[in-house]
Structure formats: structure tokens, C-alpha cells
Amino acid sequence: MHPVEFTTDASDGAARAGTAVTATGSYTTPLFMPVGTRGAIKYLSAADYERIGAQIVLGNTYHLMLRPGSELIERFGGLGRFAGWGGLTLTDSGGFQVFSLDPKVDDDGVTFKSTYDGSTVRFTPEDAVRVQQELGADIQMVLDQCPPLPSSADVVRQALERTTAWAARAKQAHTRVDQALFGIVQGGISETMRAESAQRTVEIGFDGYGIGGLSVGETRDEMLPALAAAIEHLPPDRPRYLMGVGDPASLVEAVGLGVDQFDCVMQTRLGRHGTALTSTGRFQAKAARHAELDEPLDANCPCEVCARHSRGYIRHLLQVGEPTASRLLSIHNIAWTIDLMNQMRSAIAAGTFHELRRGVLDVWG
């Protein structure tokens, strides 16, 4: 048996609602996965993830291997147990850090400086697999090279070739049968390179497929054709994961093209800076107009924050620099996004996805 079996429960055009069964648990799609970079979503605990309705929480391989170290987490029984989280976990490969920290990259791997103590760290595709096997996530990602956009065709081509070669090496190195391994498609905004990368990654053969290197500087209009070109060549019985994308317009557009799962730090980053996501758009909760409003952030939101707290109270917390405000807004933004995914799932099943998409784009497009 493959570690991940994906079944389409309903479809509406290319949009699909599915169930993915891993060796260690299952999840339903479309799915938003919050990011717990250093083993926690900032200001939240595993008990919060459960109440919010998260199914998979991400961990960051780069940060966790440096502090506290993957061997220590392995001794605790893996990342989920270490964090007290009973749901599923996914670890990224460190590829995005490769993109953002500007290390030395060669055909064999990457050399970068630790953000913690400045020491030099060497990281190969095999290292990425070994570290993630020790971290023990239910799903691990191969090491990839993510070119910034815009980049020249030569730079995008080199990243595609390296990512493909590294993916083959990662598959060879991966030995944990209870842990799924996802490949990653690159290719910038070139439709031909996206299609080629998808085909070559599928030929290697993975439990699921990440689509990386998007939402890194290009417009949504540039992103969507490249995304569609990749999806066309990905197998229907495997999950498709658009990495690092979480704005509502991109979520609904990507689901409309056939993407199943997403992650993003946007929800919590905005929350920490006082911004709320709502069905009428985003707003700055600190604005003076909220001072006397005895109403929730979003009257349509089912989350615990909207059930209990007023805009006036949250604005007060922000005004006085009370960290509880960041916590409440982070919980709301994640819960609101998960609810949006649940609405998409229901709309796909009902055959009304087009109407939902139109409504989301009217507000967020």
C-alpha cells in the first residue's frame, strides 16, 4: 500500500473535495494547514489547534534541526508527540529557507549559516530526508531549489534540473514506510517548464506532489496558468499541495484548478500585526472606528473569538500592547480560513463552487 491514498469524494469542474489516507491518519480536502515554524504556531498551543479544527500542522525542518535538533525530537517520539499534537504533521524540506537565506547552492546541496549561532551548515537532499525522518512528521517534503521571481529562464531551468535530481536522490534515501514523501514541482511561471517538471517528478513517483516556487513575487495572473500547467500532469489519485499560498483569492482560484492543500504564515503574521480576515475583506482591528463596536470581528464566523469577544475589546487590547490581541486575532484568522475551506468543500459537493468562487473574488480579487 502507498502511504497516501487519495479519493475524490466530489468534484465540480476541476475543483475536487477529497479524502487522503496516510499510514498514520486521514485528512479531508480542500485543506488549509497552519504553520508552526519552531514546533508551535506563534501564541498557540496544540489544544488550540484541535479546537480550531486544524487537521495538519506544519513544522519547519531548517529551524527544528538547528534548535532543538532532530535527534532530540526523535527521542520524544517525533514532532507531533513533542508538541502534544494528536493530529497530522508535515515538515517542509528547508527549500524555502534556501530561497530566502541566499546560501551557496551547488549541484550536490546547500551551504548556509545558522541564524542562531552563525555556524556553517551543509545540507543535501539526503540530509533533508534523514532529518525529517528523525522529526517523524506524517508527511515530509523533498529538498528543492526555489528560484525568486522574476528570474531568467536559465536560472529557472537550473532550479528545475537541480530539484528533479534532488528529488530522485531523496526518494532513494527515504526508508520510513510509515512516513509519506512528497515531490515538488518547480518551473517558475513558464507553463512549458512547469509541465516538464511535473512530468519528470511524477516519473520518479511520490505519495503526493507539492507545487513550489509560486507566490514568491509574481502576480496572481502570472501564477494561475503556471499552476494549471503543472496540475495537468499530476496524477488524480495523489494529493496536490500548493506551497506557501494562503490569501483567499488565490485559495479559491487554486482549488478551482484542482489543488487540494495549502499552507501559509499570512494568517498568523497578519493576526500578530492587528489585521483580521473576514467575509467582507480584511481590516485593521486597531482602527478608531472599532472602539465602541460591541460586535464580533465577523458575524458569519463560527470561531470561538467571534463567539465571545467584541471588536471594541480587541481594539483595546491592541491599543495597550496586550499580547492576547495577537493570540485572539491569530486564532480567528486560522479558524476563518479553515471555515472558508470547509465552505469550498460543501460547495463542491453541492455543485455550487462557481458561485462561491465568484463571491470570494468579489471581496478578495
Side-chain angles (χ1 to χ4, degrees):
M1 179 192 151
H2 240 271
V4 181
E5 294 293 336
F6 186 88
T7 308
T8 300
D9 302 321
S11 57
D12 186 359
R16 58 190 204 165
T19 302
V21 181
T22 76
T24 44
S26 63
Y27 59 94
T28 57
T29 69
L31 171 71
F32 176 75
M33 306 180 289
V35 181
T37 302
R38 293 177 173 84
I41 302 169
K42 280 195 175 71
Y43 294 118
L44 274 60
S45 77
D48 297 319
Y49 316 163
E50 283 166 17
R51 289 199 319 281
I52 292 169
Q55 298 183 73
I56 303 179
V57 175
L58 261 71
N60 183 291
T61 297
Y62 167 80
H63 285 288
L64 292 171
M65 77 180 200
L66 296 175
R67 298 279 189 284
S70 52
E71 301 92 339
L72 185 143
I73 289 174
E74 184 176 39
R75 290 198 290 276
F76 272 86
L79 181 57
R81 196 169 169 280
F82 185 56
W85 164 236
L88 297 173
T89 51
L90 182 151
T91 41
D92 64 4
S93 64
F96 187 75
Q97 273 62 45
V98 170
F99 157 77
S100 58
L101 296 173
D102 196 28
K104 292 187 174 65
V105 184
D106 55 63
D107 289 344
D108 184 54
V110 206
T111 307
F112 54 81
K113 285 198 170 10
S114 164
T115 50
Y116 294 96
D117 60 13
S119 61
T120 300
V121 181
R122 179 68 181 167
F123 202 50
T124 65
E126 292 81 4
D127 293 328
V129 168
R130 174 185 53 77
V131 167
Q132 291 183 87
Q133 289 192 159
E134 290 169 351
L135 292 173
D138 302 284
I139 299 169
Q140 71 150 283
M141 307 300 297
V142 301
L143 183 65
D144 63 320
Q145 184 176 2
C146 173
L149 294 177
S151 280
S152 71
D154 289 349
V155 168
V156 175
R157 163 61 59 189
Q158 184 181 50
L160 187 165
E161 294 295 342
R162 272 193 186 137
T163 296
T164 307
W166 290 358
R169 287 166 56 185
K171 188 173 181 188
Q172 284 296 114
H174 186 257
T175 56
R176 275 191 76 153
V177 293
D178 62 336
Q179 181 187 56
L181 178 66
F182 280 24
I184 299 178
V185 175
Q186 288 290 349
I189 53 173
S190 159
E191 293 174 51
T192 51
M193 281 201 266
R194 281 285 168 184
E196 179 192 335
S197 180
Q199 288 168 312
R200 291 172 67 182
T201 309
V202 170
E203 277 167 20
I204 298 167
F206 291 97
D207 305 317
Y209 294 90
I211 301 156
L214 290 171
S215 201
V216 291
E218 81 287 6
T219 65
R220 193 180 314 122
D221 287 343
E222 290 173 319
M223 175 180 88
L224 294 173
L227 179 59
I231 290 170
E232 188 182 340
H233 299 282
L234 297 179
D237 62 343
R238 296 279 170 262
R240 303 162 183 159
Y241 162 28
L242 179 55
M243 304 173 72
V245 172
D247 69 282
S250 294
L251 291 174
V252 75
E253 290 282 47
V255 168
L257 293 174
V259 174
D260 305 304
Q261 58 197 86
F262 305 84
D263 79 283
C264 199
V265 296
M266 182 188 99
Q267 279 63 14
T268 46
R269 183 175 286 156
L270 287 177
R272 292 196 301 279
H273 293 103
T275 299
L277 305 177
T278 75
S279 51
T280 55
R282 62 197 257 181
F283 65 78
Q284 190 47 256
K286 203 172 182 175
R289 68 178 187 279
H290 303 299
E292 297 187 29
L293 289 183
D294 188 10
E295 60 188 63
L297 296 168
D298 186 344
N300 299 317
C301 177
C303 86
E304 62 191 58
V305 177
C306 289
R308 183 179 290 249
H309 298 298
S310 67
R311 292 188 185 195
Y313 174 65
I314 291 171
R315 179 191 184 256
H316 153 69
L317 297 179
L318 287 165
Q319 281 288 98
V320 297
E322 170 54 61
T324 300
S326 295
R327 172 175 158 75
L328 295 178
L329 283 164
S330 295
I331 288 173
H332 162 77
N333 285 348
I334 294 172
W336 183 87
T337 306
I338 288 172
D339 183 61
L340 176 64
M341 307 314 280
N342 292 340
Q343 289 178 48
M344 288 191 219
R345 184 175 169 87
S346 299
I348 291 166
T352 57
F353 181 77
H354 179 72
E355 289 87 332
L356 176 73
R357 172 180 169 271
R358 197 60 270 151
V360 171
L361 292 178
D362 283 346
V363 174
W364 293 94

